[in-house]
Structures are given as structure tokens and as C-alpha cells.
């Protein structure tokens, strides 16, 4: 290694000089450096994917409407409410509009392996209460006047090749016969909490097809209030209406309702959070091992540098910077690969197959930046012990060693 001894002896090396030496050292064992950067990049892609899963789970609660109140059966979400409750909820104070829906659980026999949400709704009010589901006025009018009409999400329509005017069959064990539907429109979403893979059709049509024991019931009632700050109060007032009934209710604002659904998967979410932390730990160990090997190989060089005037702090800066740069490069590559991999490939698959649970699956810029910063920071942290050990070497002992 060529060193300009007169220049070093006259003044302390600058941070730029030490950083340049660290960068040049990465090229001394290119194969090992490339493997380490590749390992960091793979770890960052896995980390970003897990963080995207967690943020996608939380998006339904984070972006929920603050002025909507969801009323369901007090015991469990899967039990139904009497349809007559809708009119009583509509008369509650501060309620300006009400709609209802019921889970049908149907499938298209032509796409029997494909799962998607099928909801029987009140055609007159559903899209006004859920106004973030955008459908053209012509399509909405056609749907409201078509007993066998249906509106489908744009993601579902693209996946199954449906267009406006197409006819399809909906089959479910909940109905006594198949339902013949016509697609009157396709909706798009203006909020990240909206599932774009749902099919909605007329509740009245479903009600006539189910067994008598299931008729005139709804899965849940959704109210829109005139003041978002009163949503919790309205929920309590609604529940009081049915306190003395055989079927009691539980009403929550949409944010709290979605959060309660997420609570059912809290153990899974916690596990994913822990796994993402383990991935960062593994990344640190990989970087630390590479830097430790390089530091041992350069022991005699460190001794020479100390002998010609470099201080222990310079050695620490050199080693840490080398590891930090390696981590930053790996993190940047991981983010560059993860962006199209998650947004264009994994995200599309998830939204098409699991839109009911993960309606918006995208890697956010802030998460990608977090991955790069984490990789660089952990790179610097991983070099702490090797750098400290290198700086503590006695000059005579270091020079005597053969790299």
C-alpha cells in the first residue's frame, strides 16, 4: 500500500481521506464484499416485505372514516341482526344516513378457485355512505334499477376479465339456488382502506333466495354521523336502543371497529414484527463478520499507519466507515429491488387474492428509506467491536504480524 508519508506527517488526515481509503479497501477483496452486499440486499428486501405487510394490515384502521359507525351483533361479527333495526338506527340523533350489508360468500363457478368478497347491500344507500368507492353516475343508476345488477371492484374485474354488461353466476351454500347477475359498473377506490376486489349486489335479491330462517336479517349496519367527534357517543346511543332486545348490538366508529378486527390477528402481527427485528440482527452479524475478517487481515497495515502518525480514532473511523458504506450500498440495492418486487409483483398478487384483509399493499417511500438507513446504521454498529480492537493494538505487536 502506497502512503504519502510527508503529507501525513505534517497534518492530520481529513475525514474525506479516511473515507476514500475505506472505499478503496472494499475493492481489495471484491468477491467477499460483493457477497456481503448481496446478503445485506436480500435481508433488506425481506425486511421491507414484512414491514409492508404490517403497514398494510394497519392501513384499514389508519385510513378509516371518522364519521362512520358500524353496528353489529354484540356477541360476534358473524351473527346477524334483524333488518328492522335499520329503521330504528336511522332515527337516532346525529345520524344523517344509514346503509346495511350482508356477507354472502358466493363464488363464480367459472372461477371456482378464486376467492373474493361478495356483499349483498342496499343499492339505494350503500355507495352514498361509502363514497370512497367511486362508480359513475350512469352505472350507479343502472345498478339501482337492475334487480340482478352487480358492481365490482376494478382489481377484481381486471383479474377475472369482467367488463360492464357481462353476465355471471354467483353460487353459495347460503342460497337455495344460484344467483344470475349482470355487471352494471366497476368501482375504483379513493382511500387505501377500500377493498378493490369486492362484488356487491342487491340485498333484496339475496333475501329472496336464502332459506326462511335467514330472511330479513343483515350482517351489519353502517351509519354516517353529522359530527365525527360524536361518533362514539352515537354508537352508545344506538346500542341503548337495543339493550332490552333479544338481539343486542355493539356499535363502534369505523376506526375502532377495524382496529378490533386487527386485534384478532395481534399474535401474528407481533410475530412478524419480531421476525423483522431478527432479520436486522442477522444483517448485523453478517456485516460484523466481514469487517472482523478484514480487520484481522490488515493488522500489520494498522500498525504501520499508527507508526507514521495515525491516531486510534483514525483507525476506528476507517473501519466503521468501510462497514457503513457496505451496509448503505446493500440497503440501497435492497430498496431498489424491493420497490418493483413488492409494488408491481407481490402487491398485485396480494390485492387480488387477499383484498378483504390487505386492500392496499404497497411499499411506502418512508419504509424504503427506513430500510436503507437501518442497513447503513447497522453496518456502522457492526464494525464497533472490530474497530475498537484494531484501535487498541500496540504498534509493535501490529507491525510484527503478517497479514
Amino acid at each position: 500500500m502506497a502512503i504519502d508519508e510527508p503529507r501525513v506527517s505534517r497534518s492530520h488526515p481529513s475525514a474525506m481521506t479516511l473515507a476514500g481509503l475505506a472505499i478503496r479497501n472494499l475493492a481489495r477483496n471484491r468477491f467477499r464484499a460483493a457477497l456481503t452486499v448481496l446478503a445485506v440486499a436480500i435481508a433488506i428486501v425481506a425486511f421491507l416485505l414484512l414491514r409492508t405487510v404490517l403497514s398494510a394490515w394497519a392501513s384499514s384502521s389508519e385510513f378509516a372514516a371518522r364519521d362512520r359507525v358500524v353496528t353489529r351483533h354484540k356477541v360476534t361479527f358473524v351473527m346477524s341482526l334483524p333488518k328492522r333495526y335499520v329503521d330504528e338506527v336511522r332515527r337516532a340523533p346525529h345520524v344523517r344516513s344509514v346503509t346495511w350489508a350482508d356477507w354472502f360468500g358466493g363464488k363464480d363457478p367459472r372461477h371456482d378457485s378464486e376467492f373474493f368478497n361478495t356483499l349483498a347491500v342496499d343499492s339505494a344507500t350503500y355507495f352514498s355512505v361509502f363514497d370512497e368507492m367511486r362508480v359513475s353516475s350512469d352505472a350507479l343508476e343502472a345498478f339501482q334499477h337492475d334487480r340482478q345488477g352487480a358492481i365490482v371492484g376494478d382489481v377484481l374485474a381486471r383479474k377475472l376479465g369482467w367488463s360492464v354488461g357481462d353476465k355471471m353466476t354467483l353460487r353459495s351454500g347460503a342460497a337455495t339456488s344460484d344467483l344470475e347477475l349482470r355487471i352494471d359498473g366497476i368501482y375504483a377506490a379513493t382511500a387505501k382502506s377500500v377493498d378493490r376486489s369486492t362484488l356487491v349486489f342487491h340485498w333484496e335479491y339475496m333475501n329472496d333466495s336464502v332459506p326462511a330462517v335467514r330472511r330479513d336479517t343483515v350482517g351489519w349496519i353502517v351509519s354516517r354521523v353529522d359530527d365525527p367527534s360524536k361518533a362514539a357517543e352515537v354508537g352508545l346511543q344506538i346500542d341503548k336502543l337495543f339493550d332490552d332486545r333479544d338481539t343486542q348490538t355493539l356499535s363502534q366508529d369505523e376506526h375502532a371497529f377495524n382496529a378490533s378486527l386487527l386485534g384478532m390477528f395481534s399474535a401474528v402481527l407481533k410475530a412478524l414484527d419480531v421476525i423483522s427485528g431478527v432479520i436486522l440482527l442477522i444483517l448485523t452479524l453478517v456485516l460484523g463478520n466481514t469487517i472482523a475478517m478484514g480487520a484481522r487481515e490488515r493488522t500489520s497495515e494498522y500498525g504501520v499507519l499508527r507508526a507514521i502518525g495515525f491516531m486510534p480514532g483514525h483507525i476506528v473511523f476507517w473501519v466503521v466507515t468501510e462497514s457503513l458504506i457496505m451496509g448503505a450500498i446493500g440497503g440501497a440495492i435492497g430498496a431498489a429491488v424491493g420497490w418493483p418486487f413488492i409494488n408491481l409483483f407481490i402487491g398485485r398478487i396480494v390485492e387480488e387474492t387477499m383484498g378483504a384483509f390487505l386492500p392496499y399493499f404497497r411499499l411506502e417511500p418512508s419504509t424504503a428509506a427506513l430500510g436503507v438507513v437501518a442497513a447503513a446504521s447497522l453496518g456502522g454498529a457492526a464494525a464497533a467491536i472490530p474497530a475498537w480492537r484494531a484501535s487498541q493494538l500496540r504498534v509493535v505487536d501490529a507491525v510484527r504480524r503478517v497479514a
Side-chain angles (χ1 to χ4, degrees):
M1 180 180 67
I3 300 176
D4 188 351
E5 293 190 27
R7 180 177 296 176
V8 172
S9 62
R10 287 196 299 268
S11 61
H12 291 296
S14 67
M16 292 298 294
T17 302
L18 291 174
L21 290 173
I23 294 173
R24 286 195 291 271
N25 270 333
L26 293 176
R28 296 177 65 173
N29 193 325
R30 296 181 181 180
F31 182 69
R32 184 169 65 201
L35 287 180
T36 302
V37 169
L38 178 61
V40 172
I42 293 173
I44 289 300
V45 170
F47 171 77
L48 295 178
L49 180 58
L50 289 177
R51 300 312 303 181
T52 302
V53 171
L54 292 172
S55 63
W57 272 109
S59 65
S60 61
S61 176
E62 180 181 352
F63 296 101
R66 302 289 176 170
D67 63 342
R68 277 200 296 258
V69 175
V70 182
T71 301
R72 63 170 177 87
H73 197 288
K74 187 174 184 178
V75 176
T76 175
F77 183 76
V78 300
M79 297 179 69
S80 300
L81 298 173
K83 164 68 167 51
R84 62 180 182 275
Y85 280 16
V86 174
D87 293 331
E88 298 186 59
V89 171
R90 189 174 282 122
R91 292 193 293 267
H94 300 290
V95 172
R96 60 185 177 91
S97 59
V98 175
T99 192
W100 70 90
D102 202 356
W103 171 262
F104 185 65
K107 285 188 175 183
D108 182 353
R110 292 176 299 178
H111 304 92
D112 192 57
S113 61
E114 301 292 344
F115 170 82
F116 52 90
N117 272 341
T118 53
L119 301 181
V121 306
D122 176 36
S123 60
T125 59
Y126 190 78
F127 287 98
S128 61
V129 173
F130 290 93
D131 54 4
E132 64 268 47
M133 300 172 69
R134 292 293 177 85
V135 59
S136 69
S137 57
D138 292 342
L140 182 58
E141 184 177 1
F143 170 63
Q144 291 174 343
H145 292 86
D146 184 2
R147 176 179 171 82
Q148 294 180 288
I151 302 286
V152 301
D154 55 350
V155 171
L156 180 62
R158 181 174 62 247
K159 178 183 179 182
L160 300 185
W162 289 340
S163 301
V164 174
D166 288 352
K167 294 183 178 180
M168 51 89 62
T169 300
L170 203 58
R171 179 175 296 168
S172 172
T176 56
S177 61
D178 293 347
L179 302 184
E180 302 297 329
L181 300 177
R182 182 185 304 103
I183 298 175
D184 289 330
I186 296 174
Y187 73 83
T190 60
K192 296 179 180 180
S193 57
V194 175
D195 175 18
R196 296 161 61 195
S197 295
T198 292
L199 179 149
V200 300
F201 64 102
H202 289 252
W203 176 86
E204 292 84 357
Y205 188 28
M206 182 210 71
N207 193 52
D208 291 341
S209 69
V210 297
V213 69
R214 278 203 59 194
R215 288 180 186 169
D216 297 326
T217 62
V218 299
W220 57 94
I221 302 168
V222 183
S223 312
R224 202 132 201 182
V225 300
D226 56 15
D227 184 355
S229 66
K230 296 184 181 297
E233 178 185 338
V234 171
L236 292 175
Q237 292 175 345
I238 292 174
D239 291 338
K240 287 181 180 180
L241 295 174
F242 311 109
D243 276 347
D244 58 350
R245 310 289 180 85
D246 292 337
T247 302
Q248 297 178 335
T249 62
L250 175 63
S251 301
Q252 301 171 294
D253 67 82
E254 191 173 83
H255 175 79
F257 175 77
N258 290 343
S260 67
L261 293 181
L262 290 178
M264 298 168 58
F265 302 94
S266 60
V268 175
L269 299 178
K270 182 64 176 179
L272 292 178
D273 200 15
V274 171
I275 292 173
S276 66
V278 170
I279 288 175
L280 294 182
L281 176 61
I282 294 173
L283 182 153
T284 305
L285 295 176
V286 169
L287 284 169
N289 180 65
T290 300
I291 293 302
M293 292 173 62
R296 285 195 298 270
E297 293 171 355
R298 302 186 194 116
T299 299
S300 60
E301 296 178 17
Y302 297 152
V304 172
L305 291 171
R306 289 293 312 281
I308 62 176
F310 281 80
M311 303 299 293
H314 297 144
I315 304 299
V316 171
F317 182 87
W318 190 5
V319 176
V320 170
T321 301
E322 182 179 346
S323 182
L324 189 150
I325 292 172
M326 194 179 302
I329 294 174
I333 293 175
V337 172
W339 188 271
F341 176 69
I342 295 174
N343 288 353
L344 303 181
F345 179 64
I346 298 296
R348 182 169 181 174
I349 294 174
V350 169
E351 289 179 359
E352 290 180 351
T353 58
M354 300 181 63
F357 306 101
L358 301 171
Y360 182 82
F361 196 91
R362 292 290 187 274
L363 174 61
E364 298 289 348
S366 58
T367 306
L370 173 64
V372 177
V373 171
S377 302
L378 292 175
I385 294 178
W388 178 80
R389 294 180 64 181
S391 69
Q392 297 303 305
L393 288 170
R394 295 176 56 198
V395 175
V396 175
D397 295 337
V399 172
R400 284 177 178 175
R401 293 193 185 183
V402 180

